[in-house]
Amino acid sequence: MEMIKNFFKTFLLLELVKGMALTGRYFFARKITVQFPEEKTPQGFRFRGLHAQRRYASGEERCIGCKLCEAICPAMAINIEIAERADGTRRTTRYDIDLTKCIFCGFCEESCPVDAIVETRVLEYHGEKRGDLYYTKTMLLANGDKLEEQIAGDRAVDAKYR
Amino acid sequence: MMELLQAVQQIGQDLLGPAWLPVWTVAKILVIVVPIMLTVAYLTLAERKVIGFMQIRIGPNRVGPYGLLQPLADGVKLLFKEIIIPTGANKALFVAAPVLTLVPALAAWAVVPFDVGMAVSNANAGLLYILAMTSLGVYGIIIAGWASNSKYAFLGALRSAAQIVSYEIAMGFALVCVLMASQSMNLGDIVQGQQSKAGLFGWYFIPLFPMFLVYLISGVAETNRAPFDVAEGESEIVAGFHVEYSGMTFALFFLAEYANMILIAALTSIMFLGGWLPPFDVAPLNMIPGLFWLLAKMSVILFLFLWFRATFPRYRYDQLMRLGWKVFIPLTLVWVAVVGAWMQTPFWLW
């Protein structure tokens, strides 16, 4: 009996027809493609994109050169050199992130005791030649200055979960 | 239509004399090859669109409105790409192979009738010619695989050769049934044989329904299309026999594959779906030129090809061989006998 059933199942191609009915239905279904440059998917406030260095409201840079981010960075993308500034504080003379090495894990921003290095929501950036994605301290600070409002906003939303 | 052709021929004959014959032949070839090439180009777009739609995507839509210029962009890209010939490759065969796959796919069109008497050559052994041409395509694939001097290409070529040879037999037997039903090897006569008052019920897919399916499925296998694309098997042997090909040589394989698809669609329409005949021989339907009906039937079958690809996972190699040898060949043999017996009874109405 089972054999006869299987025989007819095979020769009537029932399963194939069922499969084709499924794809046939989807042919007319509403398409879910997001047309990227014109349409964008929603972004979370914890999105980890391009890096930035923040400043205090007074204009003083936050980074104190503790090198925790450099130590934790799994891709070893961060390069820091420090020196004592005239007012006796420890500051970085060099703070580079190689974005071609960076894996955007967010450990640097987790480890930072003063919330100096952060990852912003920016994801549409590119380099046109070798070295363009090697971000130096001035570039990171410029990013921070430009995006401070959003960075601060995202940190405020996130604060209650920390 | 025929009078117009006759008139053109008369004028040409008077104008050019003996030089007219080659001119007329070249014109006929161009009239067939150019539309095929254009169809191939847009079939690639249709394929990407249809598969995209079935995967709830949109498919290409950036080049031109609705992506309509995408095939041109692809063509230009392939044309300007470098043709890389591997160091160990047999240069002459390596370059000849893509041509050898494409030429039979185009040559087979010589006997395909588009309307009453509208074929480049009204050959009486048309069916044999078609069988010969479609089986020649495998040489291109074997040569490509061998000349590439690459194990993936070689594996792909071996698989492909075995597959095409196996399905050729089933295909041949399916056509034997058509042959028996129509009592002719001339493709034009085969279509004429399907003409009757019953319209679409007079077409051979009714008495030969299993053969219609076998032919269609074997056709998919012959053209190395999914789900029978083990020869290409992009997820296991990279791209099979054409893994070493690039630029225009690769494009020729691509053209050949799609030209073969269109050919199989045309042959299926002619042999089982009544070719240029309208589904019912009544007033508004039989006013439409036969070419339209043939193209409509071909489009439906081509859509099926794309639909199959979007639906079915690839056959495993042993399953493929089992289907070819242990299902299709016995099935076709039985049906040849059934049709033979059936034709001796008064119940044969075709």
Side-chain angles (χ1 to χ4, degrees):
Chain A
M1 197 58 214
E2 196 64 14
M3 235 180 89
I4 298 165
K5 230 171 98 181
N6 274 336
F7 182 83
F8 279 104
K9 243 181 166 171
T10 318
F11 279 94
L12 294 176
L13 308 174
L14 274 182
E15 273 141 10
L16 302 189
V17 172
K18 268 187 210 161
M20 287 178 71
L22 184 78
T23 43
R25 260 204 311 284
Y26 275 116
F27 185 76
F28 297 104
R30 215 170 69 84
K31 306 297 171 264
I32 56 167
T33 307
V34 176
Q35 308 257 335
F36 172 63
E38 293 94 33
E39 299 168 23
K40 282 169 187 174
T41 46
Q43 226 177 22
F45 56 82
R46 286 175 186 165
F47 190 89
R48 300 195 298 264
L50 181 64
H51 300 254
Q53 274 220 30
R54 298 177 69 194
R55 293 177 194 276
Y56 289 111
S58 62
E60 173 66 286
E61 61 186 86
R62 284 181 181 235
C63 183
I64 50 171
C66 65
K67 292 197 179 186
L68 281 175
C69 48
E70 187 184 30
I72 197 125
C73 183
M76 294 198 264
I78 305 181
N79 218 330
I80 301 176
E81 276 165 23
I82 47 168
E84 194 179 314
R85 208 165 59 178
D87 61 357
T89 58
R90 181 183 57 188
R91 296 290 160 182
T92 56
T93 54
R94 175 195 170 106
Y95 190 104
D96 300 340
I97 298 185
D98 188 348
L99 289 182
T100 55
K101 284 185 186 171
C102 179
I103 57 169
F104 301 91
C105 61
F107 283 2
C108 48
E109 91 180 286
E110 295 277 333
S111 66
C112 188
V114 289
D115 266 0
I117 183 76
V118 291
E119 287 188 66
T120 63
R121 292 189 187 193
V122 178
L123 75 156
E124 291 156 30
Y125 60 92
H126 69 289
E128 285 171 6
K129 58 182 192 296
R130 193 184 293 254
D132 271 4
L133 291 176
Y134 193 82
Y135 272 57
T136 58
K137 187 180 175 184
T138 41
M139 291 156 90
L140 292 168
L141 279 169
N143 278 345
D145 294 341
K146 200 167 68 192
L147 301 164
E148 177 57 31
E149 209 171 313
Q150 191 179 46
I151 297 170
D154 287 348
R155 296 292 164 294
V157 179
D158 199 25
K160 63 178 177 230
Y161 301 108
R162 293 195 171 268
Chain B
M1 199 69 196
M2 285 318 283
E3 295 87 57
L4 187 73
L5 285 178
Q6 228 108 54
V8 169
Q9 211 156 359
Q10 194 57 50
I11 296 166
Q13 207 105 54
D14 296 344
L15 214 65
L16 294 170
W20 170 245
L21 189 63
V23 171
W24 182 234
T25 312
V26 169
K28 281 197 283 193
I29 291 172
L30 283 183
V31 162
I32 289 184
V33 169
V34 171
I36 289 174
M37 285 303 164
L38 284 176
T39 319
V40 166
Y42 278 90
L43 187 55
T44 59
L45 178 69
E47 169 162 48
R48 292 170 68 182
K49 276 279 185 191
V50 167
I51 292 178
F53 268 49
M54 286 179 177
Q55 295 168 349
I56 351 180
R57 294 184 288 114
I58 294 176
N61 67 343
R62 293 282 145 169
V63 191
Y66 302 101
L68 281 177
L69 299 177
Q70 185 73 44
L72 296 182
D74 289 342
V76 170
K77 181 197 79 173
L78 285 168
L79 206 60
F80 284 104
K81 275 200 159 183
E82 186 187 356
I83 296 171
I84 298 164
I85 297 176
T87 0
N90 184 325
K91 214 167 167 179
L93 285 180
F94 188 79
V95 178
V99 182
L100 277 177
T101 27
L102 180 61
V103 167
L106 295 179
W109 284 91
V111 293
V112 172
F114 296 95
D115 205 334
V116 189
M118 256 177 73
V120 171
S121 148
N122 192 15
N124 274 331
L127 202 58
L128 285 182
Y129 175 78
I130 291 277
L131 276 176
M133 278 302 149
T134 45
S135 40
L136 270 182
V138 69
Y139 284 104
I141 290 172
I142 298 176
I143 291 172
W146 183 79
S148 298
N149 195 31
S150 149
K151 53 189 154 218
Y152 295 114
F154 192 58
L155 273 175
L158 285 181
R159 286 179 176 195
S160 175
Q163 178 187 337
I164 293 183
V165 167
S166 314
Y167 281 88
E168 194 96 314
I169 303 170
M171 220 171 171
F173 277 126
L175 294 188
V176 165
C177 289
V178 175
L179 195 73
M180 288 163 67
S182 67
Q183 313 267 327
S184 169
M185 293 245 241
N186 185 318
L187 291 180
D189 291 349
I190 290 177
V191 177
Q192 296 288 10
Q194 298 177 60
Q195 191 153 28
S196 71
K197 286 210 165 39
L200 108 142
F201 299 104
W203 299 349
Y204 290 145
F205 81 99
I206 300 272
L208 306 176
F209 190 71
M211 293 306 96
F212 169 60
L213 289 183
V214 166
Y215 187 79
L216 193 61
I217 296 170
S218 305
V220 179
E222 279 278 301
T223 48
N224 284 328
R225 296 277 308 170
F228 301 100
D229 58 344
V230 285
E232 242 180 272
E234 58 239 351
S235 51
E236 31 190 284
I237 49 172
V238 201
F241 61 90
H242 61 50
V243 67
E244 303 291 348
Y245 283 86
S246 59
M248 217 46 214
T249 48
F250 169 74
L252 283 186
F253 279 118
F254 219 72
L255 284 177
E257 181 180 331
Y258 285 83
N260 266 322
M261 273 167 72
I262 300 171
L263 179 69
I264 295 287
L267 294 177
T268 317
S269 325
I270 285 169
M271 285 183 280
F272 294 98
L273 299 177
W276 64 75
L277 302 174
F280 292 103
D281 205 3
V282 289
L285 290 180
N286 58 17
M287 313 265 271
I288 301 168
L291 187 61
F292 169 82
W293 289 115
L294 182 64
L295 294 182
K297 287 163 190 173
M298 281 166 65
S299 310
V300 170
I301 291 170
L302 286 174
F303 184 77
L304 273 179
F305 270 80
L306 308 183
W307 198 351
F308 289 154
R309 181 165 172 198
T311 308
F312 304 131
R314 185 177 304 130
Y315 263 91
R316 214 171 52 212
Y317 190 69
D318 62 311
Q319 293 170 331
L320 189 110
M321 283 296 148
R322 193 187 70 90
L323 183 71
W325 289 98
K326 292 169 83 177
V327 179
F328 278 1
I329 292 177
L331 185 69
T332 45
L333 279 173
V334 167
W335 211 258
V336 167
V338 168
V339 169
W342 192 356
M343 285 175 73
Q344 302 306 314
T345 66
F347 301 110
W348 180 260
L349 306 168
W350 285 271

